[in-house]
Amino acid sequence: MREAKALLFEISKKGRRGYSLPACDVPEKPLGDLLPSQMRREEPLELPELSEVEVIRHYTALSRRNFGVDTGFYPLGSCTMKYNPKINEETASLPGFAFLHPLQDESTLQGALALCYYAEEGLKEVTGMDRISLQPVAGAHGELTGLMVIQAYHRSRGEGERNKVIVPDSAHGTNPATATMAGYEVVQIPSDERGLVDVEALKVALGPDTAALMLTNPNTLGLFEEDILEIARLVHEAGGLLYYDGANLNAIMGFARPGDMGFDVVHLNLHKTFATPHGGGGPGSGAVGVKDRVAPFLPVPTVEKEGDRFYMDFDRPRSIGKVHSFYGNFGVVIKAYTYLRMMGAEGLKQASADAVLNANYLMHRLKKTYHLGHDRHCKHEFVLSARAQAKQGAGAGDIAKSLLDYGYHPPTVYFPLIVEEALMVEPTETEGKETLDGFADALEKIAAVIEEDPEKIRMSPYRTPVGRLDEVKAVKDLKIRWKAK
Ligand SMILES: *Cc1c(COP(=O)(O)O)cnc(C)c1O
């Protein structure tokens, strides 16, 4: 592979061009006639001068140094890219959507508003909730919106003193972080030996100061919270609300709905389960669904339908207000809607079934080689522990690096925190048996090498453009500017 080693600025050659235009056959206007001098720079802007192929090769080489779902298996548990069908790119770039301006008159936005309206209808059906806001633009943003809505609900009932949010120790890190951001005190409860919420500990934690319980079901161990109906009853009896972290709904879509389990508020990551590529930090959509009694507090505007007309309703006096400019990341909503319509009810159910089947297949193969903390039927993901390998001299982080040499993106490592040397694997529904077997073969091989010569794995990767990075330096001493000499 030819590597892009230099910056475009460094390979620039004075006078080289990526275009050739015919000679100008009209009188050229002096620049000063086009732009007043006080608006012009004094020195010409220093831009790299290159031919077209140089630019193409540079960017293509850069893109090949990256790892994505289009280049290989990507089993990054919890946060993985699921299926990103290419038709989504086509629908999202239809000129009628792509060239809209959010300040256009509502009468000219009818198609976009209809799409939001019907996306909400679809997501209501999938989650069993009564209303959905498409405004939040990330999972964590959806969590914050959801907790603000819960806070507004309690205050409206004169119960604003409820100041605690209960979070299990298996929770995604964003849950306690969000609760803190929303001004709550976080009460952490342990998991029991099944890897599920310890109901007795929950009973102790619940009280008149409970605002909400935040729960992921299946949890981050990939395990379904079997006692969910009992848990919901207990939280409601204590006057609290149930918050569902639905970032990874691909575990249960079409089979079970948070609304039916007793949840009052849920967020979805449309950029995970509903098919938007989300590498590199965006764009996302953390749509928030609520039950009727909490719906008046949703952000403004909501999208409503009256006869054949769609409109944005800003007249919602109990709303928490706006949580993002305009209507959120509309492009992601287009993709989610396309996905919903492409899959249909049966297709969504099949996607969950396949995701769960793939995870269980891999789990049963790999538990022979790696320690499996909770040997139970899993949902869309499972968590192995590399503690035996770590004792032999190479742990979860080393195994992750070594997998890169086999052409696989590593699983999530060292999360959830309750599993020592965690390797969290989410194969997703789109992978075939050969891919899963290839990945399992690689992990088995790595374990065998660790038994013989752990140093070899500790020094990996050997085949990537860069080896082990100084991750702290990369964060603290990031160089993103180029300066002309
Ligand atoms: C990804 C994820 C989140 C956070 O979503 P962001 O869009 O990254 O903010 C929250 N909870 C769970 C379980 C997740 O997997």
Side-chain angles (χ1 to χ4, degrees), residues 447-470:
V449 175
I450 293 174
E451 272 182 33
E452 297 291 314
D453 183 7
E455 178 71 8
K456 212 165 172 180
I457 302 299
R458 271 209 311 274
M459 299 304 286
S460 60
Y462 299 95
R463 297 184 189 164
T464 50
V466 289
R468 300 239 177 173
L469 300 179
D470 181 337

Side-chain angles (χ1 to χ4, degrees), residues 80-151:
T80 197
M81 297 258 203
K82 330 287 189 206
Y83 179 38
N84 296 150
K86 298 299 172 260
I87 189 172
N88 284 358
E89 304 303 325
E90 247 173 83
T91 52
S93 49
L94 286 172
F97 289 135
F99 297 138
L100 286 180
H101 192 283
L103 292 177
Q104 264 174 246
D105 186 76
E106 206 168 79
S107 66
T108 67
L109 294 173
Q110 287 296 302
L113 291 174
L115 186 136
C116 291
Y117 183 87
Y118 290 115
E120 176 177 347
E121 291 298 299
L123 296 173
K124 273 159 60 175
E125 185 60 37
V126 173
T127 55
M129 306 308 276
D130 298 320
R131 284 307 305 258
I132 307 263
S133 169
L134 299 169
Q135 210 175 112
V137 292
H141 195 197
E143 291 174 33
L144 183 64
T145 304
L147 284 193
M148 285 165 69
V149 162
I150 287 174
Q151 206 160 40

